[in-house]
Amino acid sequence: MIRFRATARAAAWAAALLLTGAAGYAQEPDSAVGRVPIGAIQIVGNQRVPEASILTTLGFSAGDSILGPALSRAIQRLYASGQFENVEIHAVTDASQPGGAVTLRVTMTERPLISDIEFRGLQNVKPSQVRDTVGRRIGDPYNPARVTAAEGMVRTLLARKGYQVRKIGTRAEPAEDRVAAARGRDTSAVPAVQANQVRLIFEVEEGQRVAISDIEFTGNEKFASDQLRSVLDTKPEGFLWLRTGSYDEERLREDMRQKLPDFYQSNGYIDFSVTGDSLAVDPLTGKARLVIDVHEGQQYLLSSFDIRGSRRFSSDELRRLFEERRTGLLSGFGLGKTNRQETGEVFDAVAFRDAADQAQRLYANNGYLYAQINPVVERVAADSTGRPQVQASWEIQEGRVATVGVVEVRGNTFTHENIIRNQLLLLPGDVYSEDLLLQSYRRISGLGFFETPVPLPQMNPDPNTGEVSITFEVKERQTGSVNFGTAIGGYGGLSGFLGYDQPNLFGLAKSGHLRWEFGKYSNNFEASYSDPSIRSSWVSGSLSLFSSRDRFFSFQEGRRRRTGAGLRFGLPMPGDRFTRLSLGYSLSRTSYEKFEDAASIFSLPPGVQSTFTVGLSRNNLDHTTFPPAGPNQQIEAALSGGMLGGAGSYPK
């Protein structure tokens, strides 16, 4: 019997041992070299997780032939489910199995479920806010890492309000044992599934609220204290409640480590450092005075900027990333004044660092996943005026071009895989692009079918072959919704609506919509169905039906009824998956019912509207709700009447 324990190194050894052991007793070796046939799979230790769910997570079944790495990946998937705290796989030789097949025995220990979450001593933050932020709910498996995250969130939320945590501790009590002990009964009769539960208790001791009344600087000669205060996110108390001056240790640490150094380094003071800080608190009022000690150092000029090792891009192309940068209010849109970082000017170390990051992304978007850009800043002799200088350079190691290998999609239990793959802009065999990978990730998130945030794609690069395998992990969420409402009173009496929307019918991203509105003066019904990929093709289509009856308050002498239907198809333009030609036709009939004999618009005869539409659209938004990038352009023409018939003729 060969045992597999759930660690990375043990999993690797386990794969090798399985292959080695299988070779010794295999009577008829599998036709695929290195594969081991599975005769049976035994699941041991599960009490609440269904065996079918475990088999699905494993990814293989009896009768399959697997390679050794498949076992380590299966163990990783079982741990990633969050349901188990220990997993072992035993490969048992069985002479009764034909072809030297083995029996895999999967032994596991389930995590206990959380039966209750209690916060003791927490006064200035709502417990529900902590639970919602870290995603802890009653009924979830107990996970020590999530508990640690909850403790950190308590500290963060209190710090945002100016409160410090003197002490915080967590303990997990067996829920059933506690209840049984309180009732004086034996716990041996408690079912194992019920007994494997814990009560999670957080014990918090809050400190006094600290409000910063003043911030002082010492050692600053080049910049005034008011200018340095404006750089910080930590602010002293202001007028009334508009600025509370809350002391947030994490925010202050960020100010000391990044905000102040970045400000000085962008102005040439690359030797700047924060030498100390102190907080004097009045124990009676909770008011504090923050003193920050700084060492400014000398201001450096740029002597030269060189690039070494670049072959894919020219030096001039890379130099522009650092030497040309936009400034002004419109710089975020690529507009504004262009400033050049030239020799002899004050050296902007922050811009130099950001430009290196841009160059790294430029290489990554063109397949050079393994490219390394090393920014080097060397202090050189002072200029003729005695001002110190630096020589800046990039040392670039481009490496080989990476291509996309296997692209996997995991976790989708309802949505068909091809729906997700249609959102991918990177396919196996393509040159790797970090930008296209992020766009693919946003497009999958934008489908709205999965819990958010969707985990970032997992990458497994192989420097030997130059291929990078990519895995997208998703988790399904409920997408359909029933909506209804009623109202009574006023001129209209009783009215209401009932509707159903499902944007992911059958897991194929087809959408359905139903809505019925009823009332004394209205009776409206509408239904629509759309298919983004008719019969798994690139042709999209939609069908809509409607029937509405309304009576306007300003026209008491009659009412109107409209019924109709519409049909629309979308065709992709050759060579461009994001540009589509749409063709549509709609037919509707409007009739009027007159309540009084007086002449009015309700005396008109019924009318038929027959309309043909043609449109051209280009939509490459990388998110349907909050798109950070991508074009969305549409143009449409409609023709009613004429050769189409109907009561009216007009173009639009």
Side-chain angles (χ1 to χ4, degrees):
M1 181 175 70
I2 306 168
R3 173 175 296 178
F4 299 82
R5 293 193 179 275
T7 64
R9 180 172 296 179
W13 280 105
L17 287 173
L18 175 60
L19 297 181
T20 304
Y25 57 76
Q27 299 173 358
E28 298 178 10
D30 192 90
S31 58
V33 178
R35 291 186 176 272
V36 175
I38 300 175
I41 299 178
Q42 298 177 356
I43 307 298
V44 180
N46 62 309
Q47 297 175 345
R48 56 179 173 79
V49 181
E51 182 173 319
S53 176
I54 297 173
L55 291 173
T56 300
T57 306
L58 284 175
F60 46 77
S61 57
D64 291 346
S65 295
I66 63 171
L67 293 170
L71 290 171
S72 61
R73 291 195 296 266
I75 291 175
Q76 292 171 5
R77 287 194 294 269
L78 288 171
Y79 269 101
S81 69
Q83 300 290 342
F84 310 105
E85 63 183 24
N86 185 50
V87 178
E88 296 179 2
I89 297 182
H90 308 266
V92 182
T93 61
D94 191 347
S96 64
Q97 295 287 352
V102 300
T103 296
L104 290 184
R105 182 180 301 160
V106 184
T107 305
M108 58 196 59
T109 304
E110 294 176 336
R111 293 185 184 275
L113 296 181
I114 299 175
S115 66
D116 187 24
I117 302 176
E118 182 180 352
F119 288 85
R120 298 177 181 175
L122 191 62
Q123 300 176 354
N124 293 286
V125 173
K126 294 181 179 179
S128 59
Q129 186 177 3
V130 181
R131 289 193 293 263
D132 294 342
T133 305
V134 298
R136 289 288 78 196
R137 297 183 299 271
I138 294 175
D140 286 350
Y142 172 73
N143 189 330
R146 292 287 186 90
V147 172
T148 302
E151 292 180 355
M153 185 53 60
V154 170
R155 296 181 183 275
T156 300
L157 294 176
L158 285 173
R160 290 176 183 173
K161 294 187 176 183
Y163 294 90
Q164 300 303 299
V165 177
R166 289 197 181 100
K167 184 173 65 174
I168 182 171
T170 310
R171 70 175 188 270
E173 296 181 349
E176 289 297 331
D177 290 353
R178 180 178 181 272
V179 173
R183 296 178 179 177
R185 60 183 175 89
D186 186 9
T187 61
S188 60
V190 178
V193 175
Q194 298 179 8
N196 194 22
Q197 296 184 0
V198 295
R199 297 180 69 251
L200 196 56
I201 301 175
F202 292 84
E203 295 181 337
V204 183
E205 184 179 345
E206 295 182 1
Q208 184 183 24
R209 185 181 184 276
V210 177
I212 299 176
S213 60
D214 188 25
I215 301 178
E216 297 181 4
F217 291 88
T218 62
N220 56 310
E221 299 178 355
K222 305 301 181 181
F223 297 98
S225 295
D226 287 342
Q227 190 172 2
L228 297 181
R229 291 190 195 98
S230 65
V231 174
L232 304 180
D233 287 337
T234 302
K235 304 293 183 184
E237 282 183 313
F239 178 71
L240 296 178
W241 65 88
L242 299 180
R243 202 168 66 191
T244 61
S246 297
Y247 172 67
D248 188 334
E249 187 175 351
E250 290 295 329
R251 183 189 305 164
L252 180 60
R253 187 179 296 113
E254 183 74 9
D255 288 336
M256 301 297 104
R257 293 180 177 178
Q258 183 172 349
K259 296 290 184 178
L260 276 176
D262 282 357
F263 172 75
Y264 270 94
Q265 290 176 14
S266 65
N267 287 279
Y269 294 89
I270 61 177
D271 296 328
F272 169 83
S273 63
V274 176
T275 57
D277 64 270
S278 60
L279 190 70
V281 182
D282 187 333
L284 298 178
T285 64
K287 305 294 184 181
R289 183 168 60 91
L290 177 63
V291 180
I292 302 175
D293 305 319
V294 300
H295 169 71
E296 293 179 325
Q298 295 179 305
Q299 187 180 51
Y300 288 83
L301 305 181
L302 178 63
S303 172
S304 64
F305 173 51
D306 299 319
I307 297 176
R308 297 185 288 270
S310 61
R311 297 186 302 274
R312 170 62 177 83
F313 302 101
S314 66
S315 296
D316 290 340
E317 188 174 0
L318 295 175
R319 291 175 68 90
R320 284 196 293 268
L321 298 176
F322 172 54
E323 294 180 343
E324 297 182 5
R325 58 192 189 280
R326 301 279 182 177
T327 60
L329 294 177
L330 301 179
S331 59
F333 300 93
L335 304 175
K337 182 181 178 181
T338 301
N339 286 349
R340 294 184 61 87
Q341 174 77 68
E342 297 179 344
T343 57
E345 292 185 348
V346 172
F347 174 60
D348 188 341
V350 175
F352 179 68
R353 183 184 62 209
D354 293 344
D357 292 340
Q358 293 182 41
Q360 187 77 54
R361 289 194 297 270
L362 180 63
Y363 272 99
N365 289 335
N366 287 271
Y368 290 86
L369 176 63
Y370 312 105
Q372 297 181 4
I373 299 179
N374 181 30
V376 179
V377 177
E378 300 181 33
R379 294 164 176 79
V380 295
D383 64 0
S384 57
T385 63
R387 302 180 66 180
Q389 299 184 99
V390 295
Q391 180 178 339
S393 62
W394 289 343
E395 296 178 352
I396 301 176
Q397 296 180 357
E398 294 182 339
R400 64 188 304 174
V401 176
T403 57
V404 179
V406 177
V407 180
E408 290 188 86
V409 178
R410 298 176 183 170
N412 53 310
T413 56
F414 178 70
T415 304
H416 288 223
E417 185 169 320
N418 65 301
I419 300 300
I420 303 174
R421 289 190 177 275
N422 285 342
Q423 306 303 316
L424 301 180
L425 304 180
L426 270 181
L427 301 176
D430 290 349
V431 173
Y432 173 81
S433 170
E434 184 178 274
D435 184 51
L436 293 180
L437 178 64
L438 291 176
Q439 288 188 45
S440 301
Y441 166 75
R442 294 192 188 106
R443 291 169 66 89
I444 292 175
S445 302
L447 285 173
F449 304 156
F450 311 110
E451 290 188 1
T452 56
V454 175
L456 290 173
Q458 303 173 16
M459 295 173 46
N460 185 20
D462 187 348
N464 296 324
T465 63
E467 286 190 347
V468 54
S469 299
I470 304 173
T471 302
F472 292 90
E473 191 84 29
V474 297
K475 186 176 182 180
E476 301 277 2
R477 74 175 182 89
Q478 183 66 38
T479 54
S481 63
V482 176
N483 47 84
F484 57 89
T486 58
I488 188 170
Y491 186 73
L494 177 66
S495 62
F497 69 92
L498 177 65
Y500 175 72
D501 290 279
Q502 173 57 270
N504 191 21
L505 282 171
F506 320 117
L508 294 171
K510 308 175 191 294
S511 63
H513 166 75
L514 293 172
R515 185 179 177 90
W516 174 44
E517 298 178 358
F518 58 88
K520 182 177 180 180
Y521 299 114
S522 65
N523 190 354
N524 306 324
F525 174 79
E526 58 185 35
S528 64
Y529 170 80
S530 64
D531 189 341
S533 178
I534 299 177
R535 300 181 66 86
S536 301
S537 68
W538 288 104
V539 179
S540 61
S542 63
L543 173 66
S544 60
L545 305 171
F546 65 89
S547 175
S548 64
R549 185 200 71 189
D550 50 41
R551 176 178 174 183
F552 304 104
F553 293 145
S554 57
F555 297 100
Q556 301 298 318
E557 62 271 21
R559 65 186 175 191
R560 178 185 66 171
R561 176 178 292 277
R562 297 182 69 244
T563 58
L567 186 64
R568 194 178 188 91
F569 292 97
L571 307 171
M573 298 299 291
D576 189 349
R577 61 180 294 187
F578 304 113
T579 303
R580 303 182 72 83
L581 173 69
S582 62
L583 303 172
Y585 177 74
S586 63
L587 182 67
S588 64
R589 183 179 186 271
T590 303
S591 61
Y592 301 93
E593 181 180 354
K594 185 173 62 171
F595 295 157
E596 301 176 358
D597 293 335
S600 68
I601 61 171
F602 297 100
S603 301
L604 295 174
V608 175
Q609 181 180 357
S610 178
T611 304
F612 174 77
T613 59
V614 58
L616 191 66
S617 64
R618 176 172 174 77
N619 186 352
N620 192 18
L621 299 177
D622 53 8
H623 197 285
T624 55
T625 308
F626 305 106
N632 184 12
Q633 303 154 340
Q634 300 180 21
I635 183 172
E636 184 175 278
L639 176 64
S640 298
M643 67 177 64
L644 301 173
S649 300
Y650 61 90
K652 183 172 66 173

